[in-house]
Amino acid sequence: MSDYIFYPGCAMESNAKAYYDSLMEIAQPLGINLQEIDDWNCCGATEYVGINLIPAYSLIARNLALAAKMGHKTIISPCSACYLNLAKADYYMAERPSLGEKVNEALAAGDLQYTPGSLDIRHLLDVLINDIGLDKLKEKVVRPLKGLKVAPYMGCMVPRPDYHNRWSDAEHPTELFDVLKAIGAEVVDFPGAATCCGGHMTQIGPETAYELIRRLISSAEKSKADIMVTVCPMCQLNVDAYQGETNSHFGTNYNMPIVFFSQLVGLALGFPPEKLGFGSEVTSTEKALAQIGVDIPESAIAEGKKRQQEGLPMPLCMRKTTTSESKHAEEAKA
Amino acid sequence: MSKTPVEHVHARLDHDEDLSLLNEVSMKTAGVSRLEMCIQCGSCGGSCPSEMDMDHTPRTLFAMLRAGMREEALLSNTPWICVSCYHCVVRCPQNVHITDVMYTLKGMAIREKKYRDSTAPDFSETFVDMVEKYGRSYEFGLATRHYLKHSPLRMIRTAAMGLDMLKKGRLSMKPTTIEGMDQLTAILNKAKEMELAHE
């Protein structure tokens, strides 16, 4: 077992729960021991840094300072934006020492400090390939995903801007392709592999976002993919949850599921789909998974319902509306 | 006697170029921005996936900074349409930190209240408010507050999707608060003090 510091990031405890659940399942058999940073905070996404520079870098650096106390050197981040923010703060604090000094002065107000360059900040995909290795992954495969045509979607912030030359190519990275091959999937030629999903534009400039999402899904469809696979919570959310809005905007009828790579790795390692967060996607994966003889049981959806009860109960009438609406949409599709 | 081309250039260069805006933006950017190194090749705009919705390509915007066009540059929607995909950054032959320059321009526009449409600045500010209050992002609070203010109609249209996300355990109706909120607040307050002194 190799020990790593784990920075999950906010999405892992909410909209990317499937990513978290599937990672927790596959970590043990792959020999990845994750020690979560105690009391980590949000990395500020792409928002904080557009408001206030020193506070934004101090926000990120609190996590680095907490991590540096843990006695290991390598942080794993599964979220692309978190990964880039941590890596960027570390790099810029070293590149421009005056920034590093100011951030440390702010950290001192919370009795913390961080020496730039003292941690290795890595994305989960990089660790899987370069530390664990494809050979070990192949050894563990008990259910090769033979016959599943997958579009490998890496997105932007993992291969770019790549401060430490860790990735194969900034525009045509091969890492995700290699992992999917190793678990037996049929990887399609997907020109959109490292293009943008629109990021937060779904919230502030939806038409710009819809166009980027349309290009991606159309590219995956043309490549004859059954499913898209991502390494990033934001990419999954945009392509999955905003696919309906994109369809209404363009009058298209796309129905392209998108899941996290850890979910497919989990299937290949023999875990049941309900343990890997399948069923929580908005655009159903049922048809795609049927290609490899995997059914998502009803209990997977019920599991989601149980979690919701931790929050405030929703009025029953609203639930009914959604159910009938989704039925209506199903009928229209058929 | 008419001037030779070289004399023309020299005549233009007689007075000092005012690079104060360019320098200001460069200094306010994280790391070493290398903004001064832009050679106006246009690789940035040619690589940009959302360029179609921008007022100016990044190249034009950087030329505007060089020309000291403060008002026009800060009013441009370009930094707000930037999707942070870093395509331009890896293609820039001069290694200009273009995405980070866009963040700097957003911050300057917010501080000087130079924007035509407040949707994007408000979204960033709401996000930051949530993080400063809880230490973690809080999507449900962010989405409802943002949609109520800027697009109540869209909120109704996306309600079904939101409920689906809730049902599937992907949207929490309660924020998560970190334990070290006092520590984080102390750090951010100190950082904000320095940010003001930095200007």
Side-chain angles (χ1 to χ4, degrees):
Chain A
M1 285 297 257
S2 307
D3 292 329
Y4 293 94
I5 305 167
F6 182 45
Y7 179 75
C10 304
M12 294 290 265
E13 47 181 38
S14 57
N15 72 59
K17 199 88 180 66
Y19 201 2
Y20 184 84
D21 291 347
S22 51
L23 172 56
M24 289 306 136
E25 294 297 330
I26 65 170
Q28 210 270 336
L30 292 173
I32 304 173
N33 184 26
L34 297 168
Q35 294 175 15
E36 190 168 320
I37 301 176
D38 187 33
D39 206 39
W40 54 271
N41 56 259
C42 171
C43 74
T46 50
E47 308 308 323
Y48 210 140
V49 71
I51 303 255
N52 257 338
L53 181 77
I54 300 168
Y57 278 79
S58 305
L59 180 83
I60 302 168
R62 178 177 176 271
N63 297 312
L64 295 172
L66 293 173
K69 288 197 206 170
M70 293 177 69
H72 306 300
K73 208 175 167 327
T74 306
I75 299 189
I76 290 189
S77 167
C79 165
S80 304
C82 296
Y83 158 70
L84 179 57
N85 270 345
L86 295 174
K88 186 157 97 166
D90 184 52
Y91 182 82
Y92 282 170
M93 282 168 72
E95 189 191 38
R96 197 163 164 186
S98 63
L99 176 68
E101 282 159 24
K102 281 179 189 142
V103 167
N104 266 309
E105 213 180 313
L107 288 179
D111 291 323
L112 292 173
Q113 66 92 33
Y114 176 68
T115 310
S118 57
L119 289 168
D120 270 340
I121 296 142
R122 316 254 306 270
H123 188 272
L124 172 65
L125 181 64
D126 166 19
V127 168
L128 178 59
I129 293 215
N130 296 310
D131 288 13
I132 312 305
L134 292 174
D135 289 340
K136 177 154 184 191
L137 175 62
K138 274 185 209 159
E139 263 171 42
K140 301 274 173 190
V141 171
V142 294
R143 176 167 53 195
L145 307 186
K146 207 166 171 283
L148 187 65
K149 294 193 195 69
V150 187
Y153 179 40
M154 278 273 277
C156 313
M157 293 178 166
V158 166
R160 287 187 297 272
D162 196 7
Y163 300 112
H164 299 286
N165 298 315
R166 290 210 172 101
W167 300 94
S168 53
D169 192 275
E171 302 191 43
H172 306 285
T174 55
E175 282 83 358
L176 189 54
F177 184 100
D178 295 341
V179 166
L180 295 168
K181 274 266 175 213
I183 58 172
E186 185 183 324
V187 191
V188 301
D189 184 15
F190 175 48
T195 58
C196 182
C197 70
H200 71 182
M201 293 307 285
T202 46
Q203 307 303 306
I204 60 174
E207 292 188 5
T208 305
Y210 298 152
E211 171 59 16
L212 298 181
I213 295 169
R214 184 198 65 76
R215 287 182 202 169
L216 270 172
I217 301 175
S218 145
S219 163
E221 264 213 349
K222 279 185 193 142
S223 305
K224 304 250 185 300
D226 300 317
I227 196 165
M228 281 170 76
V229 171
T230 177
V231 303
C232 170
M234 184 92 245
C235 295
Q236 201 282 338
L237 182 71
N238 277 1
V239 176
D240 180 29
Y242 288 92
Q243 195 167 144
E245 281 195 38
T246 304
N247 274 333
S248 335
H249 184 73
F250 292 107
T252 47
N253 196 21
Y254 293 122
N255 192 19
M256 177 62 65
I258 175 162
V259 296
F260 297 102
F261 78 110
S262 48
Q263 291 182 277
L264 288 194
V265 169
L267 280 183
L269 298 189
F271 290 100
E274 61 271 26
K275 291 235 172 206
L276 303 166
F278 285 103
S280 66
E281 57 282 338
V282 174
T283 306
S284 170
T285 52
E286 274 182 270
K287 207 175 131 201
L289 295 188
Q291 308 265 18
I292 49 168
V294 172
D295 285 324
I296 302 167
E298 271 298 307
S299 61
I301 317 283
E303 172 71 8
K305 271 186 191 159
K306 236 191 308 178
R307 272 190 210 123
Q308 176 238 330
Q309 283 164 5
E310 291 165 14
L312 300 172
M314 291 306 293
L316 201 59
C317 61
M318 291 176 87
R319 281 197 199 143
K320 273 187 183 154
T321 316
T322 21
T323 320
S324 69
E325 267 182 15
S326 55
K327 260 191 197 149
H328 182 71
E330 285 297 324
E331 279 163 16
K333 246 183 268 165
Chain B
M1 212 176 91
S2 65
K3 286 177 182 161
T4 66
V6 174
E7 281 167 344
H8 250 298
V9 170
H10 280 231
R12 290 279 180 101
L13 291 177
D14 261 355
H15 58 88
D16 285 339
E17 205 180 349
D18 178 11
L19 294 179
S20 58
L21 178 62
L22 189 84
N23 289 336
E24 181 188 339
V25 173
S26 189
M27 283 313 293
K28 283 183 175 164
T29 301
V32 179
S33 82
R34 295 180 56 89
L35 183 56
E36 310 76 11
M37 307 301 283
C38 171
I39 52 167
Q40 290 285 303
C41 71
S43 298
C44 42
S47 311
C48 181
S50 50
E51 179 268 341
M52 68 279 181
D53 295 320
M54 288 176 172
D55 290 344
H56 309 97
T57 61
R59 164 172 69 170
T60 307
L61 189 62
F62 296 164
M64 287 157 67
L65 295 179
R66 186 170 280 276
M69 297 163 70
R70 186 179 197 98
E71 183 84 4
E72 294 89 336
L74 294 186
L75 278 169
S76 174
N77 77 355
T78 298
W80 301 104
I81 300 290
C82 165
V83 286
S84 296
C85 75
Y86 295 83
H87 245 126
C88 55
V89 173
V90 296
R91 288 183 179 176
C92 175
Q94 293 292 82
N95 195 19
V96 177
H97 293 177
I98 299 167
T99 310
D100 291 294
V101 172
M102 294 297 173
Y103 290 138
T104 304
L105 289 169
K106 284 184 190 183
M108 288 171 68
I110 287 180
R111 237 156 288 173
E112 296 180 30
K113 298 220 177 324
K114 296 271 167 52
Y115 37 81
R116 293 196 174 93
D117 171 6
S118 66
T119 310
D122 277 353
F123 181 76
S124 292
E125 286 189 329
T126 306
F127 186 96
V128 166
D129 283 351
M130 300 282 169
V131 173
E132 289 183 349
K133 196 165 167 194
Y134 307 117
R136 301 258 169 103
S137 83
Y138 172 39
E139 289 166 32
F140 186 79
L142 175 65
T144 42
R145 199 166 119 190
H146 184 72
Y147 279 8
L148 274 175
K149 184 162 178 193
H150 288 283
S151 45
L153 280 176
R154 188 167 177 229
M155 187 166 171
I156 296 164
R157 284 205 309 273
T158 54
M161 187 246 279
L163 283 170
D164 194 25
M165 299 284 280
L166 269 173
K167 198 173 77 181
K168 288 170 173 164
R170 293 181 60 179
L171 198 58
S172 173
M173 292 186 77
K174 279 189 297 193
T176 308
T177 309
I178 63 166
E179 283 168 25
M181 239 2 264
D182 291 347
Q183 181 192 44
L184 179 62
T185 306
I187 292 171
L188 293 178
N189 285 345
K190 181 71 190 163
K192 282 178 196 170
E193 245 175 60
M194 278 188 285
E195 181 90 358
L196 289 173
H198 179 64
E199 277 163 17

